[in-house]
C-alpha cells in the first residue's frame, strides 16, 4: 500500500505514515474504497458525490423502535442482526452501509429501568463485530469488550440489567481496530432507558420525543462512504439520522430532543437561529434543573437532551439548529397542537459526591515517533491492567490532554459507570456538564477531573478517548474492578 503522501491523522499532518495499519479497511467488505489513493491527481472515488445538497430538502427520519420478539415477566428479548445494507443518504444515490438490521442508524431500543433486556446479535458480516452499550451499567461479560467479539455467522446474547436511571444511551460496535470504520459505516443506534421518576415529570413524549444522531461523512462519487482515518477532517457532509440537513415538520409546542454525536472526529457546537435551547439532560440522565443554554457542545460519543418550545413561533417559521459548519436540522413549524407536556423547574436531583480515596493521573498524547495515540505513554494492551480499582470505592481521575503542539482534541470515555465532572482546569463545570457523564471533552492543554464510584460489577473494562480513530490507534487502557481482599 502506497501512502507516501502527507497524511493527516486526527487532523494532524504526519509525513511518511506508511506504517499506519489500515485500521479496519481490511475487513469491512460492504464498501471498501480507502487505500486506493495517494498517487496524486484526481481520485474519482474521493470526489464528493453531491457537494451541494440543497438544505432542508429531505425529511428527518426517526429510527424505528425495535420490537421485542418475546416479552417475559421481567425481561424482554430482542433480536438484532448485524449486516450489510443500502441506504439513501444523498437523494437518488444508493450508499452501501453496515448496520444493525442493515440500517444506517440502527433501530432504537426503548428499555425500562428494572426490566432486563436480552439482545441477541447475529453477525452476518464476514468479519468480527460486537456491541457496546455506551453509558450502560453492564457486567463486563456483556459490555462488548474490544477483544470479546462475535465471529462471522455466530450469535451472541447480551444481557443488559437496566438498573440505572432514565438516560439516553447508545449502542455501537467496539471490535478492536474495527470500531472506527464500523461506526463510520453505520453500526450505531439509540438505547433509551425510561423510569417512573422521569415519566412523572411530564416531559414531551411519544412523537414529541425525538432522538437525533448527528455525524459526518465523506461520500464518494459512486455513493460509497469513504473511510480514511488519515483524513478525518475531510468529512464535509453533516448528517442528522442519516440525512443531510433535513427538515422536521413540528407543531408549535414543546419537544424533547436527544442529541448524540456519533461522529468519529467532528465536534459539534449547536445553536438555534431563533428561540431557546433548554438543556435537560447529559450522557447519563436528566439534570437537576433545566438550564437555558446558548450552545450545546458535543464531542464524539457525548449526548445532550434539550427541550425546544416552538409555541412562540408563528406557523410558517423555520427554526434552524445549526453548527459552526452550517445548518444541521430545520424545524418547520407547520401547525398548532395541544400541549399537555410540562417542563418542571426541578428534574432529577444529583446525589452528593462521596469522598474519593484514590486519585489517578492519565495523560493523553499523540506519539509522533510511533504514530500512535497513547495514555500515559502506552498504547492499549489487552493483557495489561492499567488501573485496578476496588469495588465500591470512589476515585478521582485527572485526565490531561498533552497535545498542545499538534492541537489535537480528545475526549475521555469510561466504561462501567457514569461519572461526574468536578472541574476543567480548576473551573467547575457549567450546569450543562454538571450532570451524569460518561464522555467528556479534554481540549488540548487542559486537565479535567472526574469522579466515579466503581460499585457493582467486578472484572475488566476499557477506558479510552472516544475519537475512535485515536482509541483504535492505542489511546485506550484497561480497568479491572476487584473485590477488596482481607
Ligand atoms: Cu483522542
Amino acid at each position: 500500500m502506497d501512502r507516501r503522501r502527507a497524511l493527516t491523522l486526527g487532523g494532524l499532518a504526519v509525513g511518511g505514515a506508511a506504517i499506519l495499519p489500515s485500521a479496519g479497511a481490511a475487513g469491512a467488505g460492504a464498501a471498501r474504497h480507502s487505500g486506493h489513493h495517494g498517487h496524486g491527481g484526481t481520485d474519482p472515488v474521493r470526489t464528493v458525490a453531491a457537494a451541494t445538497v440543497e438544505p432542508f430538502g429531505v425529511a428527518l427520519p426517526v429510527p424505528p423502535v425495535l420490537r421485542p420478539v418475546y416479552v417475559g415477566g421481567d425481561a424482554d428479548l430482542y433480536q438484532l442482526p448485524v449486516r450489510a445494507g443500502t441506504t439513501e443518504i444523498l437523494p437518488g444515490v444508493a450508499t452501501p452501509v453496515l448496520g444493525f438490521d442493515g440500517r444506517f442508524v440502527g433501530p432504537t431500543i426503548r428499555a425500562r429501568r428494572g426490566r432486563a433486556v436480552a439482545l441477541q446479535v447475529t453477525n452476518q458480516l464476514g468479519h468480527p463485530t460486537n456491541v457496546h452499550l455506551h453509558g450502560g451499567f453492564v457486567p463486563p461479560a456483556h459490555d462488548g469488550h474490544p477483544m470479546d467479539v462475535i465471529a462471522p455467522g455466530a450469535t451472541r446474547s447480551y444481557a443488559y440489567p437496566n438498573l440505572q436511571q432514565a438516560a439516553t444511551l447508545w449502542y455501537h460496535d467496539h471490535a478492536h481496530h474495527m470500531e472506527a470504520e464500523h461506526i463510520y459505516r453505520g453500526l450505531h443506534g439509540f438505547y433509551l432507558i425510561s423510569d417512573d421518576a422521569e415519566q412523572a415529570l411530564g416531559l414531551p413524549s411519544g412523537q414529541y420525543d425525538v432522538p437525533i444522531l448527528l455525524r459526518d461523512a465523506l461520500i464518494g462519487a459512486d455513493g460509497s462512504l469513504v473511510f480514511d482515518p488519515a483524513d478525518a477532517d475531510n468529512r464535509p457532509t453533516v448528517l442528522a439520522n442519516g440525512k443531510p440537513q433535513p427538515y422536521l415538520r413540528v407543531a408549535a409546542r414543546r419537544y424533547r430532543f436527544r442529541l448524540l454525536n456519533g461522529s468519529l472526529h467532528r465536534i459539534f457546537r449547536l445553536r438555534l437561529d431563533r428561540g431557546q435551547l433548554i438543556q435537560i439532560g447529559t450522557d447519563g440522565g436528566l439534570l437537576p434543573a433545566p438550564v437555558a443554554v446558548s450552545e450545546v457542545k458535543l464531542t464524539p460519543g457525548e449526548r445532550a437532551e434539550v427541550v425546544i418550545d416552538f409555541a412562540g413561533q408563528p406557523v410558517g417559521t423555520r427554526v434552524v439548529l445549526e453548527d459552526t459548519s452550517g445548518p444541521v436540522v430545520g424545524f418547520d413549524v407547520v401547525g398548532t397542537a395541544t400541549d399537555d407536556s410540562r417542563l418542571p423547574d426541578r428534574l432529577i436531583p444529583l446525589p452528593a459526591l462521596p469522598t474519593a480515596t484514590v486519585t489517578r493521573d492519565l495523560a493523553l498524547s499523540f506519539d509522533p515517533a510511533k504514530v500512535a495515540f497513547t495514555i500515559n505513554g502506552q498504547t492499549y494492551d489487552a493483557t495489561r491492567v492499567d488501573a485496578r480499582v476496588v469495588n465500591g470505592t470512589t476515585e478521582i481521575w485527572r485526565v490531561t490532554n498533552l497535545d498542545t503542539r499538534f492541537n489535537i482534541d480528545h475526549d475521555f470515555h469510561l466504561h462501567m459507570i457514569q461519572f461526574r465532572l468536578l472541574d476543567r482546569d480548576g473551573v467547575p463545570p457549567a450546569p450543562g456538564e454538571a450532570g451524569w457523564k460518561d464522555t467528556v471533552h479534554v481540549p488540548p492543554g487542559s486537565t479535567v477531573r472526574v469522579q466515579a464510584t466503581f460499585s457493582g460489577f467486578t472484572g475488566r473494562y476499557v477506558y479510552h478517548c472516544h475519537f475512535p480513530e485515536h482509541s483504535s490507534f492505542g489511546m485506550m487502557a484497561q480497568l479491572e474492578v476487584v473485590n477488596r481482599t482481607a
Side-chain angles (χ1 to χ4, degrees):
M1 186 171 64
D2 181 6
R3 287 197 165 195
R4 299 227 170 90
R5 71 189 176 91
L7 300 175
T8 61
L9 181 63
L12 161 75
V14 179
I19 62 167
L20 285 179
S22 75
R32 283 169 45 196
H33 292 287
S34 57
H36 296 292
H37 55 281
H39 300 280
T42 306
D43 182 335
V45 169
R46 294 176 61 82
T47 305
V48 176
T52 53
V53 176
E54 200 62 26
F56 318 123
V58 292
L60 175 85
V62 177
V65 175
L66 190 63
R67 299 175 65 96
V69 295
Y70 180 76
V71 176
D74 53 6
D76 299 316
L77 172 64
Y78 294 89
Q79 288 178 334
L80 198 54
V82 177
R83 59 180 176 85
T86 303
T87 195
E88 186 177 301
I89 295 175
L90 301 177
V93 179
T95 294
V97 300
L98 303 181
F100 293 102
D101 206 19
R103 294 174 173 276
F104 185 55
V105 177
T108 298
I109 297 173
R110 282 194 175 264
R112 180 108 194 143
R113 187 178 194 175
R115 276 188 73 76
V117 161
L119 183 65
Q120 261 178 22
V121 180
T122 300
N123 180 4
Q124 297 179 5
L125 307 178
H127 47 89
T129 184
N130 73 0
V131 178
H132 169 55
L133 179 57
H134 181 125
F137 179 60
V138 169
H142 298 279
D143 192 53
H145 188 281
M147 313 312 272
D148 183 9
V149 296
I150 310 170
T155 296
R156 167 71 188 266
S157 194
Y158 293 95
Y160 301 139
N162 300 319
L163 299 172
Q164 66 204 90
Q165 69 188 68
T168 296
L169 311 183
W170 62 301
Y171 62 97
H172 62 78
D173 172 271
H174 213 308
H176 194 36
H177 286 319
M178 298 297 295
E179 67 271 38
E181 180 165 3
H182 276 170
I183 294 169
Y184 183 77
R185 297 205 182 283
L187 292 179
H188 44 35
F190 281 98
Y191 187 103
L192 311 178
I193 300 179
S194 68
D195 65 13
D196 292 345
E198 175 206 39
Q199 288 202 309
L201 295 171
L203 295 167
S205 61
Q207 64 176 301
Y208 306 111
D209 172 3
V210 183
I212 304 178
L213 188 154
L214 302 174
R215 55 161 291 172
D216 57 14
L218 175 66
I219 301 171
D222 59 355
S224 66
L225 287 165
V226 179
F227 175 69
D228 185 353
D231 199 11
D233 282 330
N234 182 24
R235 292 171 186 150
T237 304
V238 170
L239 305 174
N241 288 346
K243 299 289 186 184
Q245 300 172 324
Y247 64 83
L248 178 68
R249 293 199 170 100
V250 297
R253 54 155 287 160
R254 206 179 276 124
Y255 283 70
R256 174 184 188 175
F257 296 103
R258 303 164 186 263
L259 306 174
L260 156 66
N261 184 352
S263 302
L264 304 184
H265 198 259
R266 180 182 292 269
I267 298 172
F268 283 100
R269 289 185 168 83
L270 302 163
R271 293 170 173 266
L272 289 181
D273 71 336
R274 68 192 69 203
Q276 180 68 56
L277 277 174
I278 308 283
Q279 189 177 349
I280 59 168
T282 50
D283 302 333
L286 294 174
L287 289 166
V291 51
V293 292
S294 58
E295 178 184 279
V296 170
K297 184 185 69 184
L298 293 176
T299 63
E302 285 187 287
R303 289 85 70 207
E305 295 197 38
V306 298
V307 164
I308 303 175
D309 193 346
F310 300 105
Q313 306 294 343
V315 169
T317 305
R318 170 177 290 151
V319 178
V320 180
L321 181 70
E322 50 192 21
D323 176 51
T324 46
S325 64
V328 174
V329 180
F331 300 108
D332 291 342
V333 182
V334 295
T336 56
T338 56
D339 189 355
D340 57 2
S341 74
R342 282 173 288 145
L343 180 57
D345 292 337
R346 295 191 181 183
L347 301 171
I348 302 295
L350 281 169
L353 286 166
T355 303
T357 53
V358 175
T359 298
R360 294 178 200 268
D361 288 296
L362 281 66
L364 310 178
S365 68
F366 174 70
D367 182 340
K370 295 182 195 160
V371 196
F373 289 89
T374 68
I375 298 180
N376 289 347
Q378 293 183 298
T379 56
Y380 175 68
D381 178 349
T383 65
R384 190 183 68 223
V385 171
D386 301 277
R388 193 162 274 114
V389 174
V390 175
N391 190 8
T393 57
T394 297
E395 300 199 355
I396 293 172
W397 289 19
R398 286 192 296 236
V399 186
T400 300
N401 177 346
L402 298 180
D403 285 325
T404 52
R405 182 175 155 211
F406 301 110
N407 200 35
I408 308 170
D409 277 286
H410 299 296
D411 63 12
F412 177 72
H413 172 50
L414 180 60
H415 288 220
M416 181 187 174
I417 38 83
Q418 295 284 327
F419 57 73
R420 302 264 291 276
L421 175 60
L422 297 179
D423 49 53
R424 181 180 281 113
D425 296 326
V427 179
E433 266 193 320
W436 291 110
K437 296 286 290 172
D438 54 53
T439 307
V440 66
H441 188 201
V442 192
S446 67
T447 297
V448 302
R449 288 197 316 145
V450 301
Q451 172 163 326
T453 300
F454 295 84
S455 284
F457 302 118
T458 56
R460 292 184 176 185
Y461 297 89
V462 289
Y463 52 94
H464 55 89
C465 174
H466 211 289
F467 289 60
E469 286 147 325
H470 299 177
S471 54
S472 60
F473 279 102
M475 194 170 275
M476 180 160 69
Q478 188 152 243
L479 154 77
E480 183 169 26
V481 183
V482 297
N483 283 324
R484 192 187 299 276
T485 51

